[in-house]
Amino acid sequence: HNLTVIKLKIPSVSLGLLQVYFHGKDNFCLLSFLQGSKLEIPLWLAKGLHDSKRRIISVELPKIYKEAWRTVFSADANVVDLHKMGPYYYGFGSQLLNFENPENPEIAQTILQTFVARFRRIMDSSQNAYNEDTSALVARLDQLERALFQVGQKGLNDFQSWEKGQASQITASSLVQNYGKRKLTEVDG
């Protein structure tokens, strides 16, 4: 799922051939591709080959970012199994926006709306699952959503411990501590 399908476009002046060199520690490799070839390559390599001026490659959107799926997301984003479709839906989708595509504004809007639509349900689920098996709850979530769920669970568990008197000491969050330091610096300066 960390792969993107790219279609190589070779300028006519280069005899219709793209040559890519890979240098290793003790060796190198030369790969040649004909104009119009389709390859599945890692996103990082596609970003490295992408040049908006020379148009060496074009990126074919994975199906989950195409119009048909965007319609599904706008109808009800909560029904989609993001983990199955791409465990890094948000991160990968935002990286796809680096490639010139006329659908980029719609893709960005769908990613944002999907996150907003699913966020409340994720947080509600994380706050209402105390001492339960949460594997079914997180199975359909993408990695970012799973991290959010875990943060919600930690907050719930910490609160439950505090409520039972099991918390040893309440401490200020690092955000509050840094804010206080910044205020003192501003007053001193």
Side-chain angles (χ1 to χ4, degrees), residues 93-112:
S94 63
Q95 291 297 314
L96 283 177
L97 300 175
N98 292 314
F99 301 99
E100 290 85 25
N101 187 311
E103 297 180 56
N104 276 356
E106 292 84 9
I107 294 169
Q109 187 65 28
T110 301
I111 292 170
L112 177 61

Side-chain angles (χ1 to χ4, degrees), residues 8-84:
L8 301 175
K9 285 186 183 176
I10 312 304
S12 58
V13 295
S14 69
L15 304 173
L17 191 69
L18 173 68
Q19 294 186 326
V20 181
Y21 292 89
F22 294 98
H23 293 276
K25 184 177 179 182
D26 296 322
N27 54 13
F28 72 94
C29 178
L30 169 65
L31 302 174
S32 300
F33 304 101
L34 293 175
Q35 182 175 357
S37 298
K38 280 189 175 184
L39 302 171
E40 285 193 11
I41 63 173
L43 178 62
W44 62 267
L45 182 56
K47 286 172 69 175
L49 291 173
H50 179 71
D51 182 347
S52 59
K53 294 176 186 127
R54 294 188 354 204
R55 300 279 181 189
I56 296 172
I57 64 167
S58 64
V59 174
E60 183 179 305
L61 291 174
K63 67 181 180 177
I64 196 164
Y65 301 101
K66 291 185 178 179
E67 185 177 2
W69 274 100
R70 291 195 308 262
T71 304
V72 171
F73 283 113
S74 66
D76 186 1
N78 288 302
V79 301
V80 180
D81 184 344
L82 279 186
H83 190 75
K84 180 180 175 185

Side-chain angles (χ1 to χ4, degrees), residues 30 46 51 53 70 103 119 127 135 141 165 169 174 183:
L30 169 65
D51 182 347
K53 294 176 186 127
R70 291 195 308 262
E103 297 180 56
F119 179 78
Q127 295 296 294
S135 57
L141 304 180
Q169 183 178 10
S174 61
K183 285 296 246 188

